[in-house]
Amino acid sequence: MQVAPEPDRSLVLQLGAALLAWYRRSSRDLPWRRTRDPYAIWVSETMLQQTRVETVLPYYARFLRELPDVASLAEALEEQVLALWSGLGYYRRARMLHAAAKTVAGALGGRLPEEPEQLRRLEGIGAYTAGALASIAFGRRAALVDGNVTRVLSRLFALELDAKSAAGLAAVWAVADRLVAVVDGPPGDWNQALMELGATVCVPGEPRCGECPLSTQCEGRALGIAATLPRTSPKRKPRSVRRVALVVASAERVVLARRRRHGLFAGLWEPPAADGDDPEPLAAQLGIDGRALRSGGHVVHVLSHRRLEIDVSIATIGRRRRWGLPGPDYDGVEAVRLDELLSRPHAALARKILAAAGVAPLAKEARPGLPSKPK
Ligand code: SF4
């Protein structure tokens, strides 16, 4: 089995000098790189997990505007935190960030710990985020490994282990640990430079080796195998699941249901939906005559393990004021005003379903910080 290489000190110093000089010249100007505030860096690193920089930018600005420090996040209602996260996906991140902020504001006296091992004791902080916070916010010589770092290091050192396997991950972490311990320069910059190289030059598929500051030291390139690295076992195809969704609306309101606090989309609002291909049982639970339903199109939404194929049906609100709970996945149901819609926590999928049915939230609501904590 291939073991992690231990690059010698002079090679690491060369790599460090070349990559850090490139980073200072070419890195993108991003708002979280202009701050040393550990809280802001924590928020950005949490949002950036599994999510593109361009997507995160407006969410980051809005989140910090509404909840500028650990104390305000700790005091916020979960509904407000989820509303600020609506559309960003992986909502568990927001819940964990909120829980950890309460721990920091309470038991830790308002200060984030500085060492990776202490950071990892907080809710939702794994090895990556602990390394990012310790190195970027506190200047600790802590490594981090994400998809970009895995790709760069696998190519640079021609690591041919399956990068998703325990042995492959351990090898990448071992190399990352060795590099950050030796490199001459701020460890936070080094870690960010590795990620930046992976995001902009050593990209998935065909790397742009001609633009790379590490090309003369790159073993993967020298061996002609860079584009085939990192090795991973083939991804399983997401399982296809058929669902139905109901958009019950008038010109001013739309009926939304809130998911229970556990499982997929926990605590988020959406048009009522259920597995299957017959919308009538769902309509009956809500209290609507299934014969009044019209077709509202088809929506496809791909999650990490599932591909949701959703038939959307439409009905008119009429005079009804009370609605039955549309099944065991939900713990609330309400006819929500369209101008209030975006201030409710919701997933991007809810917007897709509403758009398929021709229901658009009104523009004046674009203040997802609401609702605020009651006085
Ligand atoms: Fe990646 Fe090419 Fe640079 Fe090697 S030389 S690190 S493969 S971009």
Side-chain angles (χ1 to χ4, degrees):
M1 184 195 285
Q2 186 182 25
V3 289
E6 238 195 74
D8 68 37
R9 189 178 164 77
S10 67
L11 172 61
V12 179
L13 292 175
Q14 277 177 36
L15 293 172
L19 188 60
L20 286 169
W22 169 83
Y23 180 67
R24 285 180 196 120
R25 254 189 346 260
S26 330
S27 63
R28 293 165 292 174
D29 179 24
L30 299 171
W32 44 86
R33 291 186 179 156
R34 286 181 235 128
T35 178
R36 296 301 304 267
D37 175 9
Y39 169 73
I41 294 168
W42 182 20
V43 170
S44 73
E45 288 298 342
T46 308
M47 289 186 167
L48 285 164
Q49 291 162 24
Q50 324 264 354
T51 310
R52 294 161 55 84
V53 164
E54 300 70 32
T55 308
V56 166
L57 284 167
Y59 283 89
Y60 171 80
R62 203 160 49 214
F63 198 94
L64 288 188
R65 201 162 55 235
E66 300 278 337
L67 303 172
D69 49 33
V70 171
S72 56
L73 174 55
E75 284 172 15
L77 292 175
E78 183 174 283
E79 181 105 336
Q80 183 186 10
V81 178
L82 289 175
L84 287 165
W85 213 272
S86 292
L88 199 52
Y90 300 99
Y91 298 92
R92 189 172 175 278
R93 295 179 297 180
R95 270 188 217 96
M96 292 289 113
L97 181 67
H98 191 205
K102 289 181 182 174
T103 305
V104 173
L108 302 182
R111 285 179 68 87
L112 265 171
E114 301 190 4
E115 301 297 338
E117 305 73 36
Q118 299 166 332
L119 285 160
R120 287 200 67 174
R121 286 189 210 123
L122 286 169
E123 295 88 337
I125 296 197
Y128 165 81
T129 312
L133 274 172
S135 63
I136 300 168
F138 302 116
R140 296 289 188 271
R141 293 210 165 263
L144 59 75
V145 170
D146 70 347
N148 285 321
V149 172
T150 298
R151 187 166 55 257
V152 172
L153 297 185
S154 298
R155 290 170 172 175
L156 196 53
F157 296 101
L159 301 176
E160 296 194 63
L161 289 169
D162 179 345
K164 295 256 164 76
S165 69
L169 265 176
V172 175
W173 270 100
V175 175
D177 281 337
R178 165 81 180 154
L179 296 179
V180 80
V182 174
V183 80
D184 187 14
D189 284 2
W190 165 255
N191 283 334
Q192 292 189 87
L194 273 178
M195 292 192 283
E196 185 80 353
L197 191 73
T200 60
V201 176
C202 195
V203 291
E206 209 51 58
R208 302 193 188 115
C209 302
E211 301 165 31
C212 180
L214 310 181
S215 60
T216 52
Q217 293 98 345
C218 180
E219 285 183 44
R221 182 184 190 217
L223 296 168
I225 58 171
T228 70
L229 300 174
R231 303 249 194 268
T232 50
S233 35
K235 265 197 194 165
R236 254 200 268 150
K237 257 177 97 182
R239 183 168 60 90
S240 203
V241 178
R242 296 211 52 160
R243 284 179 67 79
V244 288
L246 290 188
V247 175
V248 182
S250 66
E252 293 89 30
R253 292 179 184 269
V254 62
V255 175
L256 297 183
R258 186 177 59 201
R259 289 269 193 156
R260 285 194 183 280
R261 292 184 52 82
H262 300 289
L264 186 66
F265 300 138
L268 305 186
W269 293 84
E270 64 184 20
D275 283 352
D277 47 19
D278 180 2
E280 293 201 15
L282 181 62
Q285 281 175 307
L286 207 57
I288 290 181
D289 183 350
R291 288 170 301 184
L293 298 177
R294 308 187 304 283
S295 169
H298 186 74
V299 167
V300 176
H301 193 72
V302 182
L303 301 163
S304 49
H305 301 301
R306 272 181 286 176
R307 176 185 163 90
L308 306 180
E309 303 263 1
I310 304 167
D311 285 324
V312 181
S313 297
I314 305 178
T316 307
I317 282 188
R319 281 200 225 136
R320 181 175 281 278
R321 288 286 174 270
R322 296 179 70 83
W323 309 91
L325 264 190
D329 291 344
Y330 298 101
D331 65 3
V333 61
E334 215 179 301
V336 175
R337 288 173 52 94
L338 295 185
D339 62 0
E340 215 193 285
L341 205 137
L342 292 189
S343 64
R344 297 285 176 117
H346 61 276
L349 173 58
R351 282 194 226 178
K352 266 196 200 175
I353 291 171
L354 292 171
V359 175
L362 302 181
K364 85 177 172 64
E365 62 1 322
R367 296 187 51 224
L370 302 175
S372 58
K373 191 179 171 80
K375 300 266 186 291

